[in-house]
Amino acid sequence: MCGINGSEDAGVYKLNDSTALIFTLDFFTPIVDSPYHFGKIAAANSLSDIYAMGGKPLIALNILCIPSNISPVAVEEILKGGLEKVKEAGAFLLGGHSLQDKEPKYGLAVVGASKPEDIKRNNSAKEGDLLYLTKPLGVGILTTALKRKKLKEDDLKEVIEGMEKLNNISAELALKFNADALTDVTGFGLIGHLSEMLREDLGVSIFFSKIPFYENSLKFAKEYVFPGGAYSNQKYYENILKAEGNFEDEKVLALFSPETSGGLLVAISEEKKDFFEEEAKKKNQDVFLIGKFFKGEGIVLKD
Ligand code: CO
Ligand code: CO
């Protein structure tokens, strides 16, 4: 159902009329110093692409790269964090593979499942649909500030918790309210992933004042504390974004900045707005209304 052509969050294979299998793999280098939190974040990030397809994770495998000088305790902590998230997702960890490498890396290969008709594509939003985001932005900026020692890991508690949070509840909401399109925000930043939701005849307006950011991320943006990926994303996706009004350069750049284990982008018809928001509140799930799809082209940035 979904393969290497196109830009879906995961591969999808229709097993039979009642089951579609969803398959994804993701791993990366540590973005926080604590091995345990790194494990949790990497696992939540890997599981997210299953949720972003409208599925539920079933089984997972570890993929781990370890330098020869890393302590066995640190390795254990990474795997412990990963396992906790797999369990929380209601899935089973069946094994994995490790190898020696200069830099540590960790993540999961995950198989999930869904009914074939419940598979949520990226680019199937409708004209007039509302656009919701389910986690704040700014992870790339703040973890870069951490790397440059402008912050301590203790200052990042809220952000780490945010990255560790599964997208399970937001995906459940998207399914319950039959969202028209669904994806998650990761390495290509808000604009990069949002561009995957567009078509030749479908554009989206986003409102800067409505876009949630983690505390201090815009402060560090002002000091140009950005990961390298922010600049390369901007270069690649720049043409798709039209700013209506005057926005400081760093504010625009923040929208291109890579996220890790970011939230879902949910396209949902306007008539469901109140019910959707009420239900999210009941489930204690943030849903930020940040934009609206229109018949036209590109991403239009407004105040
Ligand atoms: Co994704
Ligand atoms: Co991915």
Side-chain angles (χ1 to χ4, degrees):
M1 292 173 67
C2 302
I4 51 174
N5 298 319
S7 45
E8 281 304 335
D9 296 287
V12 183
Y13 176 75
K14 185 172 164 181
L15 196 61
N16 52 45
D17 286 344
S18 56
T19 308
L21 286 179
I22 311 166
F23 194 35
T24 184
L25 164 69
D26 214 331
F27 67 124
F28 48 70
T29 55
I31 54 166
V32 291
D33 294 328
S34 150
Y36 172 65
H37 288 293
F38 169 52
K40 285 175 97 171
I41 292 165
N45 181 73
S46 301
L47 291 158
S48 177
D49 276 326
I50 301 290
Y51 294 123
M53 295 308 297
K56 286 205 168 70
L58 294 177
I59 47 179
L61 295 173
N62 284 323
I63 174 162
L64 176 71
C65 301
I66 34 178
S68 51
N69 61 356
I70 198 173
S71 88
V73 177
V75 175
E76 236 170 70
E77 289 283 296
I78 293 173
L79 296 178
K80 186 179 144 206
L83 177 61
E84 277 182 22
K85 281 289 141 182
V86 172
K87 281 187 177 164
E88 188 189 330
F92 295 97
L93 190 83
L94 300 187
H97 182 75
S98 62
L99 71 158
Q100 249 189 44
D101 198 358
K102 276 190 211 117
E103 235 185 319
K105 297 174 191 81
Y106 174 65
L108 300 173
V110 191
V111 175
S114 151
K115 289 184 198 146
E117 65 270 24
D118 284 345
I119 289 292
K120 297 290 176 199
R121 312 264 172 175
N122 289 356
N123 67 351
S124 42
K126 297 190 177 108
E127 177 190 346
D129 274 357
L130 302 178
L131 174 69
Y132 285 89
L133 173 65
T134 65
K135 285 184 191 180
L137 303 178
V139 166
I141 297 169
L142 292 166
T143 53
T144 303
L146 178 70
K147 264 181 206 154
R148 296 191 192 160
K149 310 222 182 302
K150 289 172 179 286
L151 274 178
K152 289 194 285 295
E153 198 151 307
D154 282 349
D155 304 327
L156 283 185
K157 234 180 135 230
E158 185 203 354
V159 187
I160 291 173
E161 270 169 24
M163 287 189 280
E164 289 173 355
K165 188 176 157 57
L166 293 177
N167 282 329
N168 54 349
I169 295 169
S170 40
E172 240 169 62
L173 285 168
L175 279 175
K176 180 163 183 185
F177 289 87
N178 198 16
D180 290 320
L182 190 63
T183 190
D184 60 351
V185 183
T186 51
F188 299 128
L190 175 69
I191 301 299
H193 290 282
L194 195 47
S195 78
E196 292 171 349
M197 300 187 89
L198 304 187
R199 301 187 301 266
E200 234 164 69
D201 61 340
L202 187 76
V204 67
S205 297
I206 52 172
F207 306 98
F208 193 90
S209 57
K210 306 268 191 227
I211 297 173
F213 283 93
Y214 285 111
E215 203 185 334
N216 286 328
S217 39
L218 287 179
K219 186 192 109 191
F220 286 112
K222 218 168 183 155
E223 299 171 26
Y224 276 83
V225 180
F226 282 100
Y231 300 97
S232 45
N233 285 345
Q234 186 176 42
K235 214 170 153 190
Y236 194 82
Y237 294 107
E238 195 161 41
N239 291 334
I240 217 163
L241 184 71
K242 285 165 250 164
E244 270 182 12
N246 281 321
F247 295 93
E248 287 99 334
D249 291 346
E250 79 272 3
K251 281 189 176 171
V252 176
L253 188 53
L255 303 178
F256 290 97
S257 188
E259 303 294 326
T260 301
S261 192
L264 296 181
L265 286 167
V266 188
I268 206 158
S269 92
E270 187 157 21
E271 67 205 24
K272 297 175 186 162
K273 179 178 185 283
D274 293 343
F275 297 117
F276 178 72
E277 290 179 5
E278 245 168 63
E279 185 73 14
K281 206 170 180 184
K282 265 191 226 157
K283 299 252 145 110
N284 226 339
Q285 171 65 55
D286 285 333
V287 291
F288 306 98
L289 176 57
I290 65 163
K292 189 172 182 170
F293 290 89
F294 64 86
K295 194 180 169 75
E297 264 192 346
I299 300 170
V300 178
L301 178 63
K302 301 181 179 189
D303 234 346

